[in-house]
C-alpha cells in the first residue's frame, strides 16, 4: 500500500522529556555494564567500522502480515491469504533465518474498541489495501520478539520501518508511538534505539543501540525515532512469469537523483505487487533468482560508490536459497570495498 503520513511534533515534547529523564537515570546506573567490544556485525567480521548505509540487510516486506497467522477484517471476518498474507514465519523465526530489516504497516485500536485478547488497545500491525485494512496482532508483540532475540544476540543490528498508516491513525501514532517504544528509549529493555539512523555499526553494538526505527513524517529530530528517507526500487506493477532483471533494478535505483547522497539508503524491493497470489509471486523471485542481488549490488557500487542497503522479499521461508545467505555474500564484498 502507498498511504503516507506526515506528522508534526506538537503535543509530544512533554512525554519525550519524561522518557528522557528516566533514560538519564537508567544510563547513569547501568551504562558501564552494557559496554561491549565489537568483533563482528550480523555474523560478519570486519564490518565494525562501517556505517549502516555501507552495509546490507536482509528484509521482509509486510513483515507482520502472516507472522501471527490468520489476518482479520475489522468486521471480524477472516481475510483471504492470497492477496494479503506476505509471510509465513513468525517474527522470531524470521530473525533466526537472518532477517534484520522489518517492514511494519501500522494502525491503532482505541480503548473503547479493544475486545479480548486479539483486539488489543494501542498500535496494531496491519496490511492495508485500497479500501480496507487486514488486522494482525499488536506492535508491542512484534517488538517484544525483536527485543528478546537481540537480548541474546548481542552482535546483531536490526532496522524497523513503519511506513504505511491509515489516515485515521496518524494522530494516534504521532501521540503514542514513543510511549509504546519507551523501554527502547530509556534503556530499560534489552536493547536501545539508535540515536542516529546511520550509525557506525561497531559503535551501535558497543552502546547497545542496535535497533534503528524509521517512520514516515516529521518526528522531532531529537527523538531516537527517525524520519524515513530512502530510495526504493518499488513500482506498482504485476508479474505472472518472471522476476526482475539486474539492469532493471540497477536503473531504478541509480536513476533516482537522491541515490548520490549516502544518507538515503538504497532499497531493492524484490517482489511483485499483483498478478498472482502473493505466495506464487514470491516463487518467481526466490531460489537462484536471489543470486541476481549480488550482481545488482556490484553494478550499483560502480555507479554510486556505495552498496544497496536493504532488500525486501515476500515469504522469506520459501525456496532453497535463503536471502540472508545471499546478503552475507554481498556484505563480504562490501567489507572488502569499503574498509
Amino acid at each position: 500500500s502507498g498511504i503516507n503520513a506526515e506528522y508534526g511534533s506538537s503535543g509530544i515534547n512533554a512525554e519525550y522529556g519524561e522518557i528522557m529523564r528516566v533514560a538519564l537515570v537508567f544510563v547513569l546506573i547501568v551504562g558501564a555494564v552494557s559496554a561491549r567490544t565489537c568483533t563482528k556485525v550480523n555474523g560478519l567480521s570486519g564490518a565494525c567500522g562501517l556505517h549502516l548505509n555501507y552495509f546490507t540487510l536482509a528484509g521482509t516486506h509486510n513483515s507482520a502480515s502472516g507472522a501471527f497467522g490468520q489476518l482479520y477484517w475489522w468486521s471480524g471476518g477472516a481475510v483471504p491469504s492470497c492477496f494479503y498474507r506476505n509471510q509465513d514465519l513468525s517474527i522470531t523465526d524470521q530473525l533466526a533465518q537472518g532477517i534484520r530489516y522489518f517492514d511494519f504497516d501500522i494502525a491503532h485500536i482505541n480503548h473503547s474498541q479493544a475486545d479480548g485478547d486479539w483486539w488489543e488497545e494501542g498500535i496494531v500491525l496491519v496490511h492495508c489495501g485500497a479500501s480496507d485494512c487486514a488486522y494482525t496482532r499488536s506492535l508491542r508483540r512484534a517488538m517484544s520478539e525483536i527485543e528478546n532475540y537481540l537480548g541474546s544476540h548481542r552482535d546483531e543490528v536490526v532496522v524497523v520501518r513503519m511506513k504505511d498508516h491509515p489516515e485515521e491513525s496518524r494522530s494516534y501514532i504521532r501521540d503514542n508511538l514513543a510511549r509504546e517504544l519507551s523501554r527502547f528509549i530509556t534503556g530499560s529493555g534489552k536493547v536501545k534505539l539508535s540515536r542516529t539512523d546511520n550509525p557506525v555499526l561497531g559503535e551501535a553494538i558497543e552502546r547497545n543501540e542496535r535497533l534503528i526505527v524509521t517512520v514516515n513524517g516529521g518526528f522531532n529530530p531529537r527523538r531516537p525515532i527517525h524520519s524515513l528517507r530512502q530510495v526504493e526500487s518499488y513500482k506498482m506493477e504485476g508479474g505472472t512469469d518472471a522476476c526482475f532483471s539486474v539492469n532493471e533494478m540497477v536503473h531504478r535505483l541509480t536513476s533516482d537523483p537522491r541515490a548520490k547522497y549516502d544518507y538515503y539508503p538504497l532499497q531493492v524491493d524484490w517482489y511483485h505487487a499483483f498478478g498472482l497470489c502473493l505466495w506464487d509471486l514470491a516463487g518467481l523471485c526466490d531460489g537462484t533468482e536471489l543470486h541476481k542481488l549480488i550482481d545488482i549490488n556490484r553494478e550499483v557500487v560502480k555507479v554510486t560508490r556505495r552498496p544497496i542497503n536493504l532488500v525486501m522479499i515476500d515469504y522469506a521461508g520459501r525456496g532453497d536459497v535463503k536471502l540472508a545467505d545471499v546478503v552475507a555474500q554481498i556484505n563480504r564484498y562490501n567489507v572488502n570495498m569499503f574498509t
Side-chain angles (χ1 to χ4, degrees):
S1 53
I3 308 166
N4 252 337
E6 291 299 329
Y7 296 141
S9 59
S10 60
I12 57 178
N13 287 330
E15 173 195 345
Y16 178 65
E18 179 59 29
I19 290 173
M20 293 312 297
R21 280 191 288 274
V22 175
L24 177 61
V25 173
F26 191 85
V27 167
L28 290 173
I29 295 173
V30 303
V33 177
S34 61
R36 183 179 182 86
T37 300
C38 179
T39 58
K40 58 184 179 179
V41 181
N42 293 3
L44 181 68
S45 300
C48 295
L50 288 177
H51 278 82
L52 176 63
N53 286 355
Y54 284 81
F55 199 69
T56 307
L57 300 180
T60 46
H61 171 230
N62 280 332
S63 306
S65 183
F68 297 92
Q70 179 67 55
L71 287 84
Y72 293 92
W73 302 121
W74 184 249
S75 64
V79 174
S81 294
C82 179
F83 298 120
Y84 279 88
R85 184 167 184 167
N86 299 87
Q87 306 299 331
D88 60 350
L89 298 177
S90 70
I91 300 300
T92 299
D93 287 343
Q94 290 180 45
L95 285 159
Q97 197 175 95
I99 298 303
R100 297 294 180 266
Y101 176 50
F102 292 89
D103 171 44
F104 292 149
D105 291 4
I106 53 178
H108 81 288
I109 296 176
N110 287 318
H111 176 73
S112 61
Q113 299 170 315
D115 183 18
D117 178 61
W118 181 271
W119 303 102
E120 299 174 83
E121 178 184 359
I123 298 175
V124 295
L125 301 157
V126 296
H127 180 176
C128 294
S131 59
D132 208 348
C133 291
Y135 287 76
T136 179
R137 305 311 299 267
S138 66
L139 174 65
R140 288 189 297 272
R141 289 176 182 266
M143 296 303 295
S144 179
E145 291 190 47
I146 292 172
E147 178 185 14
N148 288 335
Y149 187 90
L150 290 178
S152 58
H153 296 79
R154 292 289 307 278
D155 299 310
E156 304 296 313
V157 175
V158 166
V159 174
V160 173
R161 177 181 85 163
M162 303 180 197
K163 181 174 182 286
D164 293 337
H165 327 306
E167 175 72 28
E168 62 270 19
S169 290
R170 292 182 185 180
S171 60
Y172 185 96
I173 293 168
R174 179 198 64 205
D175 294 339
N176 291 278
L177 182 58
R179 182 179 297 111
E180 293 217 7
L181 298 179
S182 62
R183 69 180 182 277
F184 302 106
I185 297 172
T186 64
S188 60
K190 298 173 184 177
V191 64
K192 293 185 288 184
L193 293 186
S194 172
R195 66 191 74 179
T196 171
D197 61 353
N198 186 25
V200 175
L201 294 169
E203 293 177 3
I205 288 172
E206 290 165 4
R207 295 195 298 255
N208 197 29
E209 294 180 1
R210 298 176 291 118
L211 181 60
I212 297 93
V213 171
T214 62
V215 188
N216 287 59
F219 274 99
N220 189 312
R222 294 182 299 123
R223 303 162 66 85
I225 300 171
H226 306 287
S227 293
L228 176 66
R229 55 185 179 188
Q230 57 187 189
V231 174
E232 289 191 72
S233 68
Y234 179 77
K235 289 185 178 180
M236 176 61 78
E237 62 182 9
T240 57
D241 58 4
C243 193
F244 308 98
S245 71
V246 172
N247 289 340
E248 179 183 7
M249 279 292 164
V250 172
H251 176 72
R252 290 188 188 185
L253 292 172
T254 60
S255 62
D256 190 308
R258 298 171 298 173
K260 63 184 178 182
Y261 302 113
D262 66 3
Y263 48 83
Y264 280 95
L266 302 176
Q267 176 169 300
V268 176
D269 298 290
W270 200 245
Y271 58 88
H272 289 292
F274 58 88
L276 301 168
C277 287
L278 295 177
W279 170 265
D280 298 314
L281 287 174
L284 299 178
C285 291
D286 69 2
T288 57
E289 288 292 306
L290 290 171
H291 291 142
K292 290 180 179 177
L293 295 166
I294 297 171
D295 295 326
I296 291 169
N297 186 66
R298 289 178 183 271
E299 294 303 313
V300 167
V301 168
K302 289 178 183 178
V303 178
T304 66
R305 306 305 302 167
R306 63 192 183 102
I308 60 174
N309 307 119
L310 308 160
V311 182
M312 289 205 308
I313 62 172
D314 284 334
Y315 283 104
R318 67 167 295 159
D320 295 331
V321 179
K322 301 307 178 189
L323 177 60
D325 294 335
V326 175
V327 165
Q329 295 182 58
I330 292 172
N331 277 325
R332 285 192 286 271
Y333 174 82
N334 295 342
V335 167
N336 288 335
M337 285 293 295
F338 300 111
T339 59

